[in-house]
Amino acid sequence: MNSTLTTPASLDDPAPAAAAWVRTWGAAPQAPDNSVSSVEPFENATLRQVVRISGGGHHLRIRISNEYGTAPLTIGAARVALADADGAIQDSSSRAITFGRQSTVTVPAGAPALSDPVDLTVPALSRLAISLYLPGRVHTATCHGTFHTLGWLIPGDATTRTALPAKAAPLPAQALITAVEVQPDTPTQAITVLGDSRVDGIGSTPGTDRRWTDLLAERLHAHGSRTRCVVNQGIGGNRLLTEGIGTAALARFDRDILATPGLGHVVIAVGNDLVFSFAPRNEETAALLAVFPGEPVGVDDIIAAHLQAAARARAHGAKVYAATIAPYGGSDMYTPKGDKAREQINDWIRTSGAFDAVLDFDAVWRDPADPSRIHDDLHMGDHLHGNDAGYAALAESIDLSLFD
């Protein structure tokens, strides 16, 4: 039978008693376009994707998004299982995912869908294989353009298959899955990070969970912190105030940050407004800047955007931390005027008292011999994004007591 979200299914039994849910993994949804990894239409195919959660629990649920879809999205079958590091499904762990107690669901264009609770115990830092069968043609799949996990496209309904068939093809982007939530065994809270490509982990090794948010989750787990769920809501190329790659951060703030179940802490780490506003206009940057329409913004605009995000987060009872903007000297986007603006914004972040704490990422990455540049050992070669060592340095610099 098919459950269509526009007409809720009639349930014979009362719903189970409410319990505390906490988001343990997330990927900010984006519209598929030429600015992110190309996603071809899907039809009669299974998407199998592996995600690593941060905190564990005894039940889980999955959030599917058709928010940027142009037509209703039908999920014909769905399953979740514990997965090994290479994506192989662990024996006896596969469970059916249902929506309104039905095995299929049709999600209207522009809407998300939240699954029923799945009875599966998932340890902290475990990997999940999530399989979605798409029987009809999906022309426009809501996705996440930076693909750090493992994923495959398999012909037909392969949701119950434990091994990948020979015809499985790699997925170019995270598709349709935007969150995993758990019911933890003990009370916990989530840290949700609003960010751009340095949060999204551009430059880290794909498939190895080496973004700084992944490493922070590992540290919190080893520390025994009450807060163990770290949700990465970064989008490469994203800006606070202006559309570009992904919906502007302040426009997606309610959906991607404030709607996080179990939200306790918000980290603001977006520097692209500054980078693109002050970038040189030349042949080297012309193609990239064409993706980023809109008028440049100034220091006061960026400060006002930080204050707005902080106020909205505090209105939801969350603590608010801001990250300073790391250097980018030596990159194609650098100008001395932009670096001066970066220093002004960082000075304000450090001294204004507008935040509950400051994560001084600028201090961690800058080269002592030239503070306008990232230390050579910490960037991926473009003088703009970190490498595995660079993101590890950010994670190690964070005071875990902020989340006790």
Side-chain angles (χ1 to χ4, degrees), residues 274 278 299 325 336-346:
L274 178 152
F278 292 92
V299 170
I325 302 171
K337 186 175 181 180
D339 197 53
K340 182 178 179 181
R342 183 183 68 86
E343 291 179 349
Q344 291 175 314
I345 294 167
N346 283 347

Side-chain angles (χ1 to χ4, degrees), residues 52 130 214 218 285 296 306:
R52 194 188 78 166
I130 303 170
D214 301 318
E218 293 177 9
T285 62
H306 278 75

Side-chain angles (χ1 to χ4, degrees), residues 356-375:
D356 295 290
V358 173
L359 310 184
D360 201 346
F361 288 172
D362 168 50
V364 176
W365 271 9
R366 68 188 177 215
D367 186 341
D370 184 353
S372 72
R373 291 175 175 253
I374 302 173
H375 194 285

